[in-house]
Short mmCIF file of all heavy atoms in Angstrom, two decimals:
data_model
loop_
_atom_site.label_atom_id
_atom_site.label_comp_id
_atom_site.label_asym_id
_atom_site.label_seq_id
_atom_site.Cartn_x
_atom_site.Cartn_y
_atom_site.Cartn_z
N VAL B 122 40.10 195.84 25.92
CA VAL B 122 39.09 196.19 24.92
C VAL B 122 37.71 195.86 25.48
O VAL B 122 37.54 194.90 26.25
CB VAL B 122 39.32 195.45 23.59
CG1 VAL B 122 39.13 193.95 23.75
CG2 VAL B 122 38.40 195.99 22.50
N SER B 123 36.74 196.68 25.10
CA SER B 123 35.37 196.45 25.56
C SER B 123 34.42 196.56 24.39
O SER B 123 34.57 197.47 23.57
CB SER B 123 35.00 197.49 26.61
OG SER B 123 33.64 197.37 26.99
N PRO B 124 33.47 195.66 24.28
CA PRO B 124 32.48 195.76 23.20
C PRO B 124 31.74 197.08 23.29
O PRO B 124 31.33 197.46 24.38
CB PRO B 124 31.54 194.58 23.46
CG PRO B 124 32.32 193.66 24.30
CD PRO B 124 33.23 194.51 25.13
N PRO B 125 31.54 197.78 22.19
CA PRO B 125 30.91 199.09 22.26
C PRO B 125 29.41 198.99 22.41
O PRO B 125 28.76 198.21 21.73
CB PRO B 125 31.27 199.73 20.91
CG PRO B 125 31.41 198.56 19.99
CD PRO B 125 31.95 197.44 20.84
N SER B 126 28.87 199.76 23.34
CA SER B 126 27.43 199.93 23.50
C SER B 126 26.65 198.63 23.54
O SER B 126 25.53 198.55 23.10
CB SER B 126 26.88 200.79 22.35
OG SER B 126 27.56 202.01 22.32
N SER B 127 27.24 197.62 24.08
CA SER B 127 26.56 196.33 24.11
C SER B 127 26.04 196.00 25.50
O SER B 127 25.36 195.00 25.69
CB SER B 127 27.49 195.22 23.64
OG SER B 127 28.59 195.12 24.54
N ASN B 128 26.38 196.86 26.46
CA ASN B 128 25.94 196.63 27.83
C ASN B 128 26.31 195.26 28.37
O ASN B 128 25.57 194.69 29.16
CB ASN B 128 24.42 196.81 27.93
CG ASN B 128 24.02 198.27 27.80
OD1 ASN B 128 24.78 199.16 28.17
ND2 ASN B 128 22.86 198.51 27.25
N THR B 129 27.41 194.74 27.92
CA THR B 129 27.81 193.43 28.44
C THR B 129 28.64 193.56 29.70
O THR B 129 28.71 192.62 30.48
CB THR B 129 28.64 192.65 27.41
OG1 THR B 129 29.90 193.30 27.24
CG2 THR B 129 27.92 192.55 26.10
N GLY B 130 29.33 194.68 29.86
CA GLY B 130 30.19 194.84 31.01
C GLY B 130 31.42 193.98 30.97
O GLY B 130 32.14 193.87 31.96
N LYS B 131 31.69 193.34 29.85
CA LYS B 131 32.81 192.41 29.78
C LYS B 131 34.03 193.12 29.23
O LYS B 131 34.04 193.56 28.08
CB LYS B 131 32.45 191.23 28.88
CG LYS B 131 33.57 190.22 28.72
CD LYS B 131 33.11 189.08 27.84
CE LYS B 131 34.20 188.03 27.66
NZ LYS B 131 33.74 186.91 26.81
N LEU B 132 35.06 193.23 30.05
CA LEU B 132 36.33 193.76 29.61
C LEU B 132 37.23 192.59 29.23
O LEU B 132 37.29 191.59 29.93
CB LEU B 132 36.98 194.58 30.72
CG LEU B 132 36.25 195.83 31.20
CD1 LEU B 132 37.01 196.48 32.35
CD2 LEU B 132 36.07 196.81 30.05
N ILE B 133 37.94 192.75 28.10
CA ILE B 133 38.86 191.72 27.65
C ILE B 133 40.27 192.25 27.82
O ILE B 133 40.63 193.26 27.18
CB ILE B 133 38.58 191.34 26.19
CG1 ILE B 133 37.15 190.79 26.07
CG2 ILE B 133 39.59 190.30 25.70
CD1 ILE B 133 36.67 190.65 24.66
#
Side-chain angles (χ1 to χ4, degrees):
Chain B
V122 66
S123 175
S126 304
S127 63
N128 289 330
T129 68
K131 178 179 181 179
L132 297 177
I133 299 168

